[in-house]
Amino acid sequence: MARFDGRAFNALRPIKFERQINRYAEGSCRVTWGNTIVLCTASVEEKVPPFLRGAGTGWVTAEYSMLPRATKTRTVREITKGKPNSRSSEISRLIGRSLRAATDLTNLGERTITIDCDVLQADGGTRTASISAGFVALFDAFRFLTKEKYLTKIPLVNQVAAVSVGKVKSEIILDLCYEEDSTAEADANFVMTGKGEFVEFQGTGEGGTINYTDMASMIELAQVGTAEILKMQRECLCLTENEAKLFV
Amino acid sequence: MARFDGRAFNALRPIKFERQINRYAEGSCRVTWGNTIVLCTASVEEKVPPFLRGAGTGWVTAEYSMLPRATKTRTVREITKGKPNSRSSEISRLIGRSLRAATDLTNLGERTITIDCDVLQADGGTRTASISAGFVALFDAFRFLTKEKYLTKIPLVNQVAAVSVGKVKSEIILDLCYEEDSTAEADANFVMTGKGEFVEFQGTGEGGTINYTDMASMIELAQVGTAEILKMQRECLCLTENEAKLFV
Amino acid sequence: MARFDGRAFNALRPIKFERQINRYAEGSCRVTWGNTIVLCTASVEEKVPPFLRGAGTGWVTAEYSMLPRATKTRTVREITKGKPNSRSSEISRLIGRSLRAATDLTNLGERTITIDCDVLQADGGTRTASISAGFVALFDAFRFLTKEKYLTKIPLVNQVAAVSVGKVKSEIILDLCYEEDSTAEADANFVMTGKGEFVEFQGTGEGGTINYTDMASMIELAQVGTAEILKMQRECLCLTENEAKLFV
Amino acid sequence: MARFDGRAFNALRPIKFERQINRYAEGSCRVTWGNTIVLCTASVEEKVPPFLRGAGTGWVTAEYSMLPRATKTRTVREITKGKPNSRSSEISRLIGRSLRAATDLTNLGERTITIDCDVLQADGGTRTASISAGFVALFDAFRFLTKEKYLTKIPLVNQVAAVSVGKVKSEIILDLCYEEDSTAEADANFVMTGKGEFVEFQGTGEGGTINYTDMASMIELAQVGTAEILKMQRECLCLTENEAKLFV
Amino acid sequence: MARFDGRAFNALRPIKFERQINRYAEGSCRVTWGNTIVLCTASVEEKVPPFLRGAGTGWVTAEYSMLPRATKTRTVREITKGKPNSRSSEISRLIGRSLRAATDLTNLGERTITIDCDVLQADGGTRTASISAGFVALFDAFRFLTKEKYLTKIPLVNQVAAVSVGKVKSEIILDLCYEEDSTAEADANFVMTGKGEFVEFQGTGEGGTINYTDMASMIELAQVGTAEILKMQRECLCLTENEAKLFV
Amino acid sequence: MARFDGRAFNALRPIKFERQINRYAEGSCRVTWGNTIVLCTASVEEKVPPFLRGAGTGWVTAEYSMLPRATKTRTVREITKGKPNSRSSEISRLIGRSLRAATDLTNLGERTITIDCDVLQADGGTRTASISAGFVALFDAFRFLTKEKYLTKIPLVNQVAAVSVGKVKSEIILDLCYEEDSTAEADANFVMTGKGEFVEFQGTGEGGTINYTDMASMIELAQVGTAEILKMQRECLCLTENEAKLFV
């Protein structure tokens, strides 16, 4: 089966991570993932949410949002509608959990790192792009905290990246673009660590259901895809020898 | 390992579905699932959301909410906070997708069935209880529509039930209660059909990650659990011979 | 005149109070009042509203809400509309004032008891059912506070119950069901104490006005009705001899 | 007992109704009632709420609000708080019901009259002042509709006025000012017609309860008070001979 | 060219400032400016916004709002719409900046003066009327603070007044009424000090643009207009000899 | 006086306009203006606001917003605060009016062009950057409408650009960066046409007032600055000969 953009079933779209694209944020990364573009910033604030006050531990959270014309037709802003978009809230929560899994919260100190993921252009896979680029921004914020002596060592516990897989015209494929996503019989997102373990997985049968064989193929493809993305993250981060050890 | 309430690793809590517990709703089911109690009503309305107007197809949606004292300590109402609870919105979306997978929307006609899932008491597993009881309420609404001649046949495509699985103290167990859930290293929810296929799956490593072996065990337990729940649904529904054929 | 459901003009509908129906709340009561069903929980919290901080006195407040399918046709949730329902707010305020009249706030300590009244099914008289069952839940919360040694004695000043009266087809009747309420020329709610005094009264001429004779009949019927309900509350509460003295 | 401002127990404060104080509204009245000042406008709009569309009948509604510095200390605006004030909503509903009782909605045509009651200065009795002045504004809107040939006759069914009564230091008194109201053991508002019948009544025991004797005294005083106010309304309206017949 | 109401191009409408029209506010002024009527109150509160806490300096802020029937047709209240009116917010900010320019914030102490400007009737020029009358209310609040010994001297740095100018049918005119404003090719508002300097200026070409000559004429007329208003403010304030020195 | 970044008093920061940076929008422009970066998209929709329905004329509107980390410290999103930021609303209105002045609304047809201006990084002058880049995006949307035959000719009436001027340390300077802006005694924004006329002007004395000489210098500098920006806009747009005639 030929894919919409001619890729092999197990091929990612062209992905480019660019760091330090915001002069104020403690970490930042813009990712261009096919036609999807997401701008991630990591902001360090010396405060924690009420439920953590006095606990001596830190927090990582995320906010995902789309610019009005990230989409084919203009989307009304959340503030104009007067209520949060529930899809965006759900994705924000997913990104937050995924990046907390990357972080040694206990050794972060009583501070919060907020990862803002603003989608400038959407063409499928915005949540996996946000997680993958969010990790890069987060790591630069870790570097800021150690360089500025807030922390003595980088509070990393897992390298984290994400990818989508789906079933389109009965075939299991990697990294769906919008046209594929909108006609998929099923699709799933996998967030995986550098060690090949699962952090988050979410799948849905849309106009179809998923059997065991499909599930196995999805898991396999997800591993293939995240392995490539994890490598790109490491390259883009220009790891020092010491840092590299944290990624093993 | 002894479980919190003494169950075997693969045992469900005691579950009771009660139908027709609301005199106005076209379908209704109260489920008592251990100490979790959820009241589900299915409301038929002769209208569809804007994006479906004129499409000749129907819609199934869900709204999940907790009473303030469903929880150990009182939770402030959403309307008092002035904004929707994002966890509730996310669960509402999950229930909606799951029950749409049960429904032949094309043959539902231009109408909407709303499944309201109000948690009277929460002790873990409220979303899987909502989906499983929501299915029962939905089926009674289908019966209403055929009995009242709105439809000529029951628009069922899949029987649907859900269960949680998790990893607690390194062991994979079925159907977590609150105490297990709050200390789990990982937990996941699986929505499955009568044919043993997946409709939705969502898993998260909380303070841990999930490896392949865990994943395989989780999937296996989910199948065991949903098979039992699917059976209970059928019994509670007192299927006629004709209806029973739809469930094969 | 025959009433909609065959009752005598001065007869209440069948009423059943059930206590301890929520495992977390300090007090709870589900009332089935004809076809009206309300679930009341009393939650104790060790805090008071800003205007009472440091005053050494306590507070009792109430929140009234209806489940979406408590009504013949589905009602949109407040949070979906984005603003509080003003009828619900008004009833919440009425319940709160009524139950504060039952309570010795000065001897409650700096804590708040919140009575949540969630209507599972509505068939007229939901506010009087909420006040009457709310009193039962409140009393059990008083017992909790004394049993757990937060208080040395039960801070009760008045037993409180409520009932509706109305004018339907020119006749004054007790305890209107929905069909009677929706065609009433006038209706009123009376909240009364165990001593037969008024705590709150609210009456409205709807499509009619109320003359002196009607007013006198209404007051008389309200006394008859509340006397019965007060008795049911006492029975359901299984008062000890010492407690019973507080109700005289 | 001497009252706060030296009045007799059955004396109203000085009351002045001024009509036509807004150049745009179809009817308007500013009332100065002791130190309470309320500005009422009646706005005619050629539309009805959704539930009345096509019913051929009209609607009267009211909105009550306080300017921030109507009170001794500045009150934050509702829009700044982001949610409606529930006391204001409740009073709005009371005013609306009271003035609908004055109106022949069936003969009003498919239009809405909105009575806006904005409190410029509050010193007790703002809701009774709003109802009493709102009636005057409403009647001028009726005149506008007949003068401009929208209606052939004035759709009046009842003259309506309101007054407060209360129990202060064990004495039943008429028309409480703020100092009396804030120390009252009980207080009540009565809305009455020109024929001496009740349209609305609402009473509350605050820090006290109300017995039968109190209730009887309250009702008696309310009649005395409203009779005077009804007379002032008629004088201020400069009724023609034909109009005067509608008030009998 | 004859103006809508017969005025000369450089003539103001009749303006009347009335002080002390609210018994609670520390300063108050109702201005009748042609058919525009605005009620301004100045409220002193012993607190400052978060960004000034501990800074030892004070704050002046303003809130502008229109009553629903201040306009030819009824305007829906902000709270009913559920969101602030952006025109009102913008005008509130303008009034606040203008009156802060009148105030020695450093010597005001850690307190806030809020100027509420509620438009009772609108016929053009409501923002300039609000600023001009707001100044009068503010000055009386200054007097209150010194009389009550909160301050040792009046914290005035500039007398401030405002006026509108516009281009109507190609002619530059002063102080536009509604009919002129709604057909203007351009209009501008100037806030000026007693020394003839600019505090704020805002102009807009509506259906036209503004050239240099127009700009020069506008500035000239604004000075003529504000000079007259500044004089009226001083007269209305009945300045003592000492106070008068502050205005030089 | 040396400026913060070494510029001459009448020098703009380096400005770069980039077109067609969004694959979905009918027009788009990202401007890099010193360290300020704004992304503008122009979206064409075949509908008009209610007040224009049936009028046969079109509409141009704008929405201005800042990403959370466009600023030195992270700013909470509007939707999280639950209410629109009044500064953003005010700027949105300014941009909208400015770009409507560029447009022949009568010949735009019954459609709306929305200019979204999202600030990716803020370093002063975001509103003038938004107007100037918004014009470029708008013009490309005009081109789209003519190329796609929705319109027969480009509905341009004025080329429009904007710049800020201010008074810093007593000197009048052009195009303030953040450090200059935050210490300015006065600042103003001028929106001007290709013909050198004013569309909008807004100035404010902040901690100072503006005299006539200052005003004259500001106007002069604004003309110098906008002339340069207008030239850059034309270059970036690569005007055809026919289009160029519209700009004369």
Side-chain angles (χ1 to χ4, degrees), chain E residues 31-50:
Chain E
V31 64
T32 308
W33 189 309
N35 285 315
T36 288
I37 307 174
V38 185
L39 198 153
C40 299
T41 54
S43 298
V44 176
E45 290 172 299
E46 295 297 309
K47 63 181 184 192
V48 287

Side-chain angles (χ1 to χ4, degrees), chain E residues 83-84 86-87 89-90 93 97 101 158 188 190 192-193 196-205 208-212 215 218-220 223, chain F residues 83-84 86-87 89-90 93 97 101 158 188 190 192-193 196-205 208-212 215 218-220 223:
Chain E
K83 57 180 173 182
S86 55
R87 178 184 168 273
S89 301
E90 187 173 330
R93 287 157 54 88
R97 287 195 307 274
N158 279 305
F190 288 86
M192 302 190 75
T193 68
E197 298 195 316
F198 301 96
V199 168
E200 293 277 332
F201 55 90
Q202 297 190 335
T204 184
T209 48
I210 304 164
N211 62 27
Y212 279 95
M215 178 74 98
M218 280 177 158
I219 289 173
E220 197 177 329
Q223 193 168 42
Chain F
K83 57 179 173 183
S86 56
R87 178 185 168 274
S89 302
E90 186 174 330
R93 288 158 53 90
R97 288 196 305 274
N158 278 306
F190 288 86
M192 301 191 73
T193 68
E197 299 195 316
F198 301 96
V199 168
E200 293 276 331
F201 55 91
Q202 299 191 333
T204 182
T209 48
I210 304 164
N211 63 26
Y212 278 96
M215 178 74 99
M218 280 176 159
I219 289 173
E220 197 177 328
Q223 193 168 43

Side-chain angles (χ1 to χ4, degrees), chain F:
Chain F
M1 182 199 75
R3 290 182 68 171
F4 180 80
D5 52 6
R7 273 183 288 155
F9 77 98
N10 62 354
L12 294 168
R13 289 173 285 176
I15 298 173
K16 181 171 63 165
F17 293 104
E18 293 168 275
R19 290 166 49 225
Q20 296 170 345
I21 47 74
N22 178 296
R23 72 190 317 245
Y24 305 127
E26 285 72 28
S28 62
C29 180
R30 178 175 49 222
V31 65
T32 308
W33 188 310
N35 286 315
T36 288
I37 307 175
V38 185
L39 199 154
C40 300
T41 54
S43 298
V44 176
E45 291 172 299
E46 296 297 310
K47 63 181 182 189
V48 286
F51 68 89
L52 282 182
R53 271 176 211 150
T57 177
W59 192 241
V60 172
T61 186
E63 295 192 6
Y64 167 98
S65 184
M66 292 227 264
L67 293 204
R69 202 54 196 275
T71 44
K72 281 181 204 269
T73 57
R74 188 175 183 271
T75 307
V76 174
R77 290 175 196 264
E78 291 175 88
I79 191 63
T80 306
K81 287 207 151 177
K83 57 179 173 183
N85 179 294
S86 56
R87 178 185 168 274
S88 291
S89 302
E90 186 174 330
I91 296 177
S92 296
R93 288 158 53 90
L94 171 66
I95 303 170
R97 288 196 305 274
S98 299
L99 296 180
R100 281 195 290 282
T103 309
D104 180 359
L105 296 173
T106 313
N107 288 314
L108 182 56
E110 275 209 30
R111 56 178 59 87
T112 296
I113 303 180
T114 302
I115 311 296
D116 285 291
C117 303
D118 286 88
V119 180
L120 306 191
Q121 196 168 274
D123 188 25
T126 59
R127 82 189 71 189
T128 52
S130 296
I131 293 167
S132 302
F135 174 79
V136 173
L138 176 64
F139 191 79
D140 268 341
F142 289 166
R143 281 168 163 166
F144 165 86
L145 286 166
T146 44
K147 194 180 153 209
E148 300 294 325
K149 312 293 187 205
Y150 289 96
L151 297 178
T152 52
K153 59 172 198 155
I154 284 182
L156 182 80
V157 291
N158 278 306
Q159 185 186 355
V160 163
V163 81
S164 76
V165 294
K167 186 176 175 184
V168 178
K169 295 181 192 151
S170 307
E171 205 168 337
I172 305 298
I173 58 176
L174 180 68
D175 185 25
L176 284 63
C177 69
Y178 175 78
E179 278 76 11
E180 292 170 336
D181 188 69
S182 59
T183 60
E185 290 122 45
D187 79 86
N189 294 288
F190 288 86
V191 185
M192 301 191 73
T193 68
K195 302 178 192 72
E197 299 195 316
F198 301 96
V199 168
E200 293 276 331
F201 55 91
Q202 299 191 333
T204 182
E206 295 186 15
T209 48
I210 304 164
N211 63 26
Y212 278 96
T213 316
D214 293 338
M215 178 74 99
S217 307
M218 280 176 159
I219 289 173
E220 197 177 328
L221 265 192
Q223 193 168 43
V224 169
T226 48
E228 280 189 59
I229 299 159
L230 290 158
K231 187 156 169 285
M232 286 183 235
Q233 287 175 329
R234 288 189 301 262
E235 283 168 8
C236 143
L237 280 167
C238 304
L239 301 173
T240 65
E241 220 168 296
N242 274 334
E243 287 171 348
K245 289 175 193 161
L246 296 166
F247 284 73
V248 180

Side-chain angles (χ1 to χ4, degrees), chain C residues 102-166:
Chain C
T103 309
D104 180 358
L105 296 173
T106 313
N107 288 315
L108 181 56
E110 276 208 31
R111 57 178 58 88
T112 296
I113 303 180
T114 302
I115 311 297
D116 285 292
C117 304
D118 287 88
V119 180
L120 305 191
Q121 198 169 270
D123 188 25
T126 58
R127 81 189 72 190
T128 52
S130 296
I131 292 166
S132 301
F135 174 80
V136 173
L138 177 64
F139 191 79
D140 268 342
F142 288 166
R143 282 169 163 167
F144 165 87
L145 286 167
T146 45
K147 193 180 155 208
E148 300 293 325
K149 311 292 188 204
Y150 289 96
L151 297 178
T152 52
K153 59 173 200 153
I154 283 182
L156 183 80
V157 291
N158 279 304
Q159 186 186 354
V160 163
V163 80
S164 74
V165 294

Side-chain angles (χ1 to χ4, degrees), chain D residues 181-237:
Chain D
D181 188 69
S182 59
T183 60
E185 290 122 45
D187 79 86
N189 295 287
F190 288 86
V191 185
M192 302 191 73
T193 67
K195 301 179 189 73
E197 298 195 317
F198 301 95
V199 168
E200 293 276 332
F201 55 91
Q202 299 190 334
T204 183
E206 296 186 15
T209 48
I210 305 164
N211 62 26
Y212 278 96
T213 317
D214 294 340
M215 178 74 99
S217 308
M218 280 177 159
I219 289 174
E220 197 177 327
L221 265 192
Q223 193 168 44
V224 169
T226 48
E228 282 189 59
I229 299 160
L230 289 158
K231 185 154 170 287
M232 286 183 233
Q233 287 175 329
R234 287 190 300 264
E235 284 168 5
C236 142
L237 279 166

Side-chain angles (χ1 to χ4, degrees), chain A residues 139-154:
Chain A
F139 191 80
D140 268 342
F142 289 166
R143 281 168 163 166
F144 165 86
L145 286 166
T146 44
K147 194 178 154 208
E148 300 294 326
K149 312 290 188 207
Y150 289 97
L151 297 177
T152 52
K153 59 172 198 153
I154 283 182

